[in-house]
Amino acid sequence: MSKGKAKSEEINETIRSEDNWEPVGPTPMPEMSDLRRWDLRLLKTYKPFYSPFCDLCCFCTYGKCDLTGDNKGACGINISGQQGRWALMFALMGCSAHGAHGRHLIDYLIDKYGEDYKIDLGGQVAVEAPHMRTVMGLKPETLGDLRKGIEYVERGIIHGVSATHMGQEGSNIDFESKSLHIGMLDHVAMEVADIAQTIGFKFPTSVAETPLAGLGWGSVDKSKPVVTCVGHNAAVATVMIDHFMKMGTYDQVEVTGICCTAIDNTRYSDKTKIIGPLSKQLFFLRTGIADLIITDEQCVRCDIPDLARATGSALIATSDKISYGLDDVTHKEIDEIVRLITQEGKQVLIRDVDKAGEVAAKVLPIVAKGRKKEITTKEKAQELAKECKACGLCDRVCPNLLNISAATSDVRDGKFEKMADLFAKCIGCGKCEQECPKSIPIITTMQAAASWDTFNIRVGRGPIHDVEIRKVGMPIVLGTIPGIIAIVGCSNYPEEIEEIAEIAEEFAKRKYIVVLSGCAAMAAGMKKDAEGKTIYEKFKPDFDAGGVLNVGSCVANSHITGAAMKVANIFAKLPLRANYEVIADYILNRVGAVGLAWGAYSQKAFSIGTGCNRMGIPVVLGPHSAKYRRLYLSRKEEDDWTVMDGRKKELINTEEPSPEHLSIVVESKERAIITMAKLCIRKNDTAQGRQLKLNHYISLYKQHMGTLPDDLQNFVRNDKDIPIVYKKEVAEYLKSVGWKPKPLLTLPTLIGTYESNIPIDAVVR
Amino acid sequence: MSLPLHYVNVLTGLKGCRVIEDPQALGKIIKKSERPLLVFGPRCPDIFLNGRYAIEYGVDIVKAIGAATCATACTKKKLMEYGILPDSTYDIIEIINHLKDPDWKGVKKQGNHDLVMFLGVRTDLGNQGLSTLKHYAPHLKTVTLCPYVYPHATFSLANLKADKWKEYLEGLIQSLKS
Ligand code: SF4
Ligand code: SF4
Ligand code: SF4
């Protein structure tokens, strides 16, 4: 449905179109299909690739329907349509999680400070909300404006969910366009949420060198009362910390966390500690070190009440998204709730942030009293494993395909090396011990094998500064900074957790800009060099060549993609306002940014990645992500790599597959590194920039594969692109494969290669 | 139904693999192929089978039937140590993406393959890739050579212990050579 007059007026009012910070672009507050033509253009090159997890559909009572091969369901949908529907549903789940998180924060903060509370991200951040500006056309000034962002996202989500209903959308391509749209909205939602908490909780902003915070289960002082916050919403923890401070007891307690709440807690107070990512949730909670567990939302285990009961930890659930069937005591007086927890041992749900924070601060010292917190010793572990028959049933259920039986039977025999290796790769699902016919508590035995070292992480710094963008914009676009490597997402790692630090270091050493967030930012800090330094101590924290920075929790991912938008705006002077297509086209063709979600498991990671893809940022995924069922791939030799030369207004077949894929799963760390180096190549690279990028691609490829890349001919446009150190051998290789120079471009763009309302001149500045 | 070794790969559907217990029978199937391809995954150089690595059995199979080769991940380097320069180095998802297209020219540019063997890929990733081929590549047969049931393959081995697997591979190679 095209927009009517009333709708246009509503949009103009929402975005205050008369404000003249920039002219309103072609797509203010786009609806589901307003950017469809851009999507279809992307999907023409980067075709959806499906690997169905289930051959059946069981969505409605017509089914189950077998969709294998050419079969259709009773409603007429085919297997591709069904996979597209899954993709849309994953994107919707992810976007909703961030959106509802943002909604909660905004409602809470508006209640506290009023809707006119000003957005101020400090002197270094003038372009405060690149996603809201680019997607909606709104330059938000207050909390009330942020609420408009969430309302816009909420509207999109309803529309998206409706399309997944039986007998609605059937085309896989249109499902993909819709999931790209929802992915885009997700970045708006994340941006809103992170700006809200940054201004509301006074998180660091406009500072690059944030402090280092304690990381790892070994960093927790268990002699103190320990509270562990699990999830992604730090609101309750901020109130609790305030109470500790008011009571003068903050230095007598340990405030710890798992997942993104932990990251955001350190942004509120760098004295708080991060235990680790989701993969260590079960392991840590099983130790019983937490005297009190506070759950909020997202990536929280569903069995925490059982875990807490088993170890004697107290539990307060604080989100109506995870109520656990607990008594809702929100309406009761604080003293009564404290009594219920401390005297009756009740686990409770408190939906009021301030009340939950105050109750937590009051109950912690009481519930901690007299609790014994002993880590399983080697002797105890051996005793626990003594019944192991090495039957291998545990191996069959391990989603990370680990050899648990060998490790457990070794523990039985008093040997712990294999269990230590297993622990490093374990994603903490607990399925193994559930399967064990001898009921061996395998996760508990890991306590005796795990390292209890202390690590550190740089506190999340929020948005990239405008002045940093001004400095690196040109080298990024010319290619002389070889790329931005964004390492993000969850902890479903295929191998050791240390791989994240190794990947980050490889690129930092090569002077890429390495940006981390969420669980990946934690994982990166969990490796020390010979001198005992983590990656955060070894590299500068600036958004610059060779910098390693942590932007913050999952919702801070919006600052990474926002930085790419800011390059288009601050460096290239392209207007952001309601100008999504032009900005995405700019990023796709000119900003060498690549995401790595090596352990992605959540629907949030899927929707974040999909949002990256719509704005032209490729994403590399670890092997588990094949279970997302959908990727966006090109076929370099077969596909058409024609773009428009924006200045000459000529279509040019570049023959260059850059970037080669938008979303790809790879199997090993080394292949991921090589793939990322390649995906940083952009058509806009100058000869000097291309030389540098190829230099890294060739050296990594040779190191791990033993030869020159066998697709090198695709990325050398002329002799000037050949890195000097490899000049001779590359020249010989190119000759052997019959390489010919490729046409040169002045300004690559997809605008003009498909039907669009955007004039080509819109990309020329 | 033959359950996979790793339950994460359990079939949710009706069309599953045929488990071939007899290596001679599998040898016959493979020999019928006109343009076979063997995809080497990153695990095959590390799996040690009492005296030989799995990759060496793969190399023997390639040599016995002149199969085309694809080295995924970073297996190329290892394969070259065993004297084989792979015909292609697509990663696992990329080679599967190409195989879907019946008109693809294949890794040797002589036409798409009609039978693809896999050795040394993670079972979960491998099974996902095989699902793609089951649904989207009816023009080809897939064979898994690892000692696990792969429900989405056309032909799979059973879940075998290391010694039985070694025996099986030796029997298969013998049959291919005969
Ligand atoms: S939604 Fe369609 S394919 Fe799915 S069960 Fe219903 S009729 Fe069958
Ligand atoms: S299932 Fe239990 S008894 Fe069997 S190998 Fe695993 S730990 Fe040992
Ligand atoms: S808890 Fe760890 S070892 Fe056990 S099944 Fe899960 S991933 Fe495997």
Side-chain angles (χ1 to χ4, degrees):
Chain A
M1 216 180 297
S2 66
K3 285 187 186 72
K5 192 161 164 274
K7 187 71 191 246
S8 298
E9 278 171 8
E10 187 196 325
I11 290 174
N12 287 339
E13 197 186 319
T14 305
I15 67 168
R16 295 186 293 271
S17 61
E18 73 285 357
D19 288 359
N20 59 1
W21 51 279
E22 273 178 1
V24 178
T27 50
M29 297 177 68
E31 294 180 341
M32 190 60 86
S33 295
D34 288 348
L35 292 161
R36 181 173 179 266
R37 290 191 293 200
W38 168 250
D39 298 335
L40 266 49
R41 177 61 192 87
L42 283 180
L43 296 171
K44 190 174 155 220
T45 303
Y46 306 102
K47 295 182 183 64
F49 169 97
Y50 298 119
S51 22
F53 214 25
C54 309
D55 301 344
L56 306 179
C57 175
C58 52
F59 276 14
C60 83
T61 67
Y62 266 168
K64 301 174 182 173
C65 297
D66 173 30
L67 305 177
T68 306
D70 292 337
N71 289 349
K72 287 182 185 170
C75 62
I77 204 165
N78 63 15
I79 190 78
S80 296
Q82 178 68 355
Q83 303 317 299
R85 176 154 64 172
W86 275 116
L88 176 56
M89 288 192 299
F90 290 160
L92 284 161
M93 288 182 208
C95 181
S96 309
H98 292 136
H101 174 193
R103 164 61 81 176
H104 176 264
L105 288 172
I106 283 168
D107 286 351
Y108 172 66
L109 292 169
I110 286 182
D111 212 36
K112 205 164 170 176
Y113 300 119
E115 60 183 28
D116 295 329
Y117 188 77
K118 287 272 179 246
I119 295 172
D120 179 1
L121 294 176
Q124 303 297 324
V125 182
V127 181
E128 71 304 292
H131 287 279
M132 285 184 82
R133 288 184 179 206
T134 308
V135 176
M136 297 176 68
L138 174 66
K139 180 171 173 301
E141 290 172 3
T142 60
L143 278 174
D145 282 347
L146 293 181
R147 185 170 55 195
K148 288 181 183 176
I150 284 297
E151 281 163 359
Y152 165 64
V153 172
E154 287 166 344
R155 221 185 248 200
I157 289 172
I158 292 186
H159 202 89
V161 172
S162 76
T164 66
H165 192 275
M166 181 270 184
Q168 295 259 50
E169 187 58 81
S171 148
N172 71 305
I173 290 294
D174 269 306
F175 273 125
E176 295 302 345
S177 170
K178 290 175 174 60
S179 48
L180 287 163
H181 183 76
I182 297 297
M184 178 188 76
L185 297 190
D186 190 11
H187 287 254
V188 174
M190 289 190 291
E191 183 176 83
V192 165
D194 205 56
I195 294 176
Q197 62 177 354
T198 301
I199 59 171
F201 303 142
K202 309 213 168 17
F203 286 171
T205 172
S206 281
V207 53
E209 188 148 9
T210 49
L212 293 168
L215 171 70
W217 43 94
S219 69
V220 180
D221 179 354
K222 59 183 176 29
S223 68
K224 293 179 179 175
V226 176
V227 53
T228 300
C229 308
V230 189
H232 284 71
N233 190 331
V236 171
T238 63
V239 176
M240 176 180 67
I241 291 168
D242 287 350
H243 277 283
F244 285 135
M245 286 182 172
K246 217 161 44 189
M247 297 187 298
T249 57
Y250 191 35
D251 56 354
Q252 293 153 34
V253 299
E254 282 281 81
V255 177
T256 70
I258 296 172
C259 263
C260 283
T261 302
I263 290 236
D264 284 334
N265 287 354
T266 62
R267 292 166 86 186
Y268 191 66
S269 159
D270 58 31
K271 305 273 175 300
T272 63
K273 308 237 171 96
I274 299 175
I275 284 152
L278 171 82
S279 57
K280 303 304 171 200
Q281 194 175 135
L282 177 57
F283 165 80
F284 182 78
L285 296 182
R286 180 69 70 75
T287 65
I289 290 175
D291 298 298
L292 169 64
I293 302 169
I294 300 177
T295 61
D296 50 82
E297 56 179 300
Q298 304 161 45
C299 307
V300 182
R301 284 189 67 93
C302 299
D303 57 357
I304 284 189
D306 298 340
L307 279 168
R309 241 173 256 123
T311 56
S313 307
L315 171 65
I316 302 173
T318 62
S319 170
D320 53 9
K321 292 157 201 144
I322 311 180
S323 303
Y324 288 128
L326 302 178
D327 277 352
D328 184 351
V329 296
T330 312
H331 58 286
K332 291 193 194 293
E333 296 295 327
I334 286 183
D335 288 346
E336 171 60 4
I337 305 175
V338 171
R339 192 192 67 77
L340 287 171
I341 298 172
T342 57
Q343 292 181 26
E344 291 190 19
K346 265 194 159 253
Q347 301 178 334
V348 297
L349 169 67
I350 310 173
R351 290 176 295 112
D352 178 298
V353 168
D354 293 329
K355 201 175 257 188
E358 189 174 345
V359 168
K362 287 191 166 152
V363 300
L364 179 62
I366 307 172
V367 295
K369 228 175 252 158
R371 280 190 78 234
K372 281 213 182 74
K373 294 182 273 189
E374 276 160 13
I375 304 305
T376 305
T377 59
K378 288 201 158 68
E379 294 69 35
K380 174 82 176 151
Q382 191 173 354
E383 169 71 19
L384 291 171
K386 73 171 191 284
E387 295 287 318
C388 177
K389 300 285 177 262
C391 66
L393 288 174
C394 45
D395 303 337
R396 297 193 72 168
V397 294
C398 178
N400 217 13
L401 322 175
L402 301 175
N403 192 343
I404 305 153
S405 54
T408 313
S409 53
D410 260 17
V411 170
R412 174 197 63 198
D413 301 337
K415 292 179 277 180
F416 289 84
E417 208 172 300
K418 283 189 186 151
M419 188 54 89
D421 290 348
L422 180 85
F423 177 67
K425 296 179 184 173
C426 169
I427 55 175
C429 68
K431 285 190 193 172
C432 48
E433 53 181 42
Q434 177 179 285
E435 195 72 7
C436 177
K438 299 290 174 189
S439 305
I440 295 169
I442 299 166
I443 311 289
T444 306
T445 67
M446 288 178 185
Q447 291 174 29
S451 151
W452 286 80
D453 207 350
T454 302
F455 303 94
N456 63 38
I457 180 172
R458 191 161 299 286
V459 166
R461 49 109 92 181
I464 309 305
H465 308 162
D466 296 12
V467 63
E468 290 174 307
I469 301 285
R470 233 163 256 133
K471 187 174 165 208
V472 300
M474 183 173 313
I476 288 172
V477 171
L478 302 183
T480 48
I481 286 179
I484 303 169
I485 300 290
I487 306 179
V488 303
C490 343
S491 54
N492 196 5
Y493 302 125
E495 298 288 340
E496 292 85 0
I497 194 167
E498 292 191 349
E499 286 195 338
I500 292 298
E502 290 158 8
I503 296 170
E505 179 152 7
E506 179 72 66
F507 285 104
K509 276 195 307 207
R510 291 171 180 273
K511 303 277 183 213
Y512 288 73
I513 303 173
V514 178
V515 196
L516 297 130
S517 68
C519 284
M522 299 176 198
M526 289 191 161
K527 184 175 179 178
K528 287 181 180 169
D529 65 7
E531 291 167 30
K533 286 186 175 164
T534 70
I535 194 165
Y536 295 107
E537 294 162 286
K538 288 202 291 196
F539 295 92
K540 60 184 179 183
D542 306 317
F543 190 78
D544 197 357
V548 173
L549 45 145
N550 169 20
V551 284
S553 60
C554 282
V555 286
N557 278 313
S558 55
H559 303 315
I560 305 178
T561 43
M565 291 169 151
K566 285 193 193 190
V567 171
N569 182 231
I570 296 172
F571 163 66
K573 306 269 185 273
L574 289 170
L576 294 179
R577 194 172 195 185
N579 201 20
Y580 189 88
E581 217 162 322
V582 167
I583 299 301
D585 176 75
Y586 182 90
I587 295 168
L588 176 73
N589 286 294
R590 296 193 250 179
V591 180
V594 178
L596 173 73
W598 194 231
Y601 78 84
S602 70
Q603 292 87 6
K604 289 181 294 170
F606 183 87
S607 88
I608 294 170
T610 305
C612 288
N613 295 158
R614 196 184 218 190
M615 58 183 286
I617 299 178
V619 177
V620 175
L621 299 151
H624 284 292
S625 297
K627 292 178 253 176
Y628 281 136
R629 308 141 211 222
R630 187 268 278 141
L631 300 167
Y632 294 140
L633 305 176
S634 84
R635 286 169 57 197
K636 58 189 163 208
E637 295 97 344
E638 282 79 7
D639 282 329
D640 177 8
W641 297 99
T642 298
V643 298
M644 178 65 70
D645 187 324
R647 286 212 177 81
K648 293 188 190 155
K649 301 203 173 43
E650 274 172 19
L651 286 172
I652 293 188
N653 182 2
T654 64
E655 300 161 30
E656 178 179 294
S658 62
E660 189 175 335
H661 306 295
L662 274 187
S663 169
I664 173 125
V665 160
V666 300
E667 191 170 357
S668 70
K669 175 190 83 174
E670 294 75 20
R671 185 76 183 216
I673 290 172
I674 294 170
T675 305
M676 285 190 283
K678 180 162 65 167
L679 289 177
C680 285
I681 293 173
R682 290 293 182 283
K683 294 193 175 59
N684 193 61
D685 297 337
T686 58
Q688 194 193 356
R690 181 60 61 90
Q691 266 195 36
L692 188 65
K693 292 185 183 187
L694 286 180
N695 190 32
H696 292 300
Y697 179 45
I698 293 171
S699 94
L700 286 164
Y701 197 100
K702 285 184 85 154
Q703 182 186 340
H704 298 298
M705 306 277 247
T707 64
L708 285 174
D710 54 10
D711 59 357
L712 190 54
Q713 60 278 18
N714 294 318
F715 302 104
V716 179
R717 297 164 299 187
N718 61 35
D719 290 347
K720 289 189 189 137
D721 287 349
I722 304 174
I724 294 163
V725 262
Y726 298 111
K727 196 106 201 164
K728 200 161 157 260
E729 56 179 316
V730 169
E732 277 167 20
Y733 169 77
L734 292 177
K735 200 169 159 208
S736 74
V737 294
W739 169 85
K740 289 199 184 63
K742 301 185 203 318
L744 283 178
L745 286 166
T746 60
L747 197 155
T749 171
L750 290 187
I751 308 293
T753 67
Y754 64 102
E755 202 184 326
S756 164
N757 296 339
I758 313 286
I760 297 171
D761 283 336
V763 303
V764 186
R765 270 290 183 286
Chain B
M1 182 166 92
S2 301
L3 279 178
L5 183 78
H6 297 122
Y7 289 171
V8 67
N9 296 324
V10 72
L11 179 68
T12 322
L14 302 177
K15 186 180 171 193
C17 65
R18 221 176 96 200
V19 172
I20 310 285
E21 310 268 359
D22 173 13
Q24 308 294 325
L26 187 60
K28 272 192 199 149
I29 292 168
I30 293 171
K31 277 205 279 189
K32 273 195 212 147
S33 153
E34 281 176 23
R35 276 192 295 275
L37 170 71
L38 202 159
V39 177
F40 287 87
R43 298 203 158 193
C44 54
D46 299 329
I47 306 169
F48 191 62
L49 282 172
N50 193 18
R52 294 188 92 202
Y53 287 95
I55 193 168
E56 297 178 64
Y57 291 101
V59 168
D60 284 355
I61 292 168
V62 167
K63 287 186 176 160
I65 55 168
T69 50
C70 175
T72 68
C74 296
T75 322
K76 177 181 189 179
K77 201 172 182 179
K78 279 281 171 199
L79 211 47
M80 289 194 316
E81 287 170 19
Y82 289 99
I84 290 202
L85 180 65
D87 297 307
S88 69
T89 57
Y90 296 114
D91 206 18
I92 184 73
I93 294 292
E94 293 174 312
I95 183 71
I96 285 167
N97 193 33
H98 279 94
L99 287 164
K100 274 164 44 189
D101 173 3
D103 299 323
W104 181 49
K105 54 192 183 306
V107 299
K108 289 190 164 183
K109 311 208 181 331
Q110 296 164 347
N112 201 348
H113 306 278
D114 52 353
L115 179 137
V116 187
M117 295 167 279
F118 294 89
L119 180 66
V121 180
R122 274 181 75 102
T123 65
D124 49 2
L125 181 55
N127 203 45
Q128 283 305 100
L130 289 161
S131 166
T132 302
L133 295 176
K134 181 175 92 174
H135 287 281
Y136 295 101
H139 49 276
L140 59 83
K141 302 208 174 339
T142 57
V143 177
T144 51
L145 298 174
C146 287
Y148 314 111
V149 170
Y150 272 99
H152 287 308
T154 321
F155 304 110
S156 166
L157 271 57
N159 295 321
L160 299 174
K161 297 260 188 259
D163 52 340
K164 292 282 170 212
W165 186 34
K166 186 178 165 72
E167 250 172 54
Y168 192 103
L169 290 174
E170 282 164 0
L172 174 65
I173 291 160
Q174 203 181 32
S175 139
L176 293 175
K177 281 183 178 164
S178 64

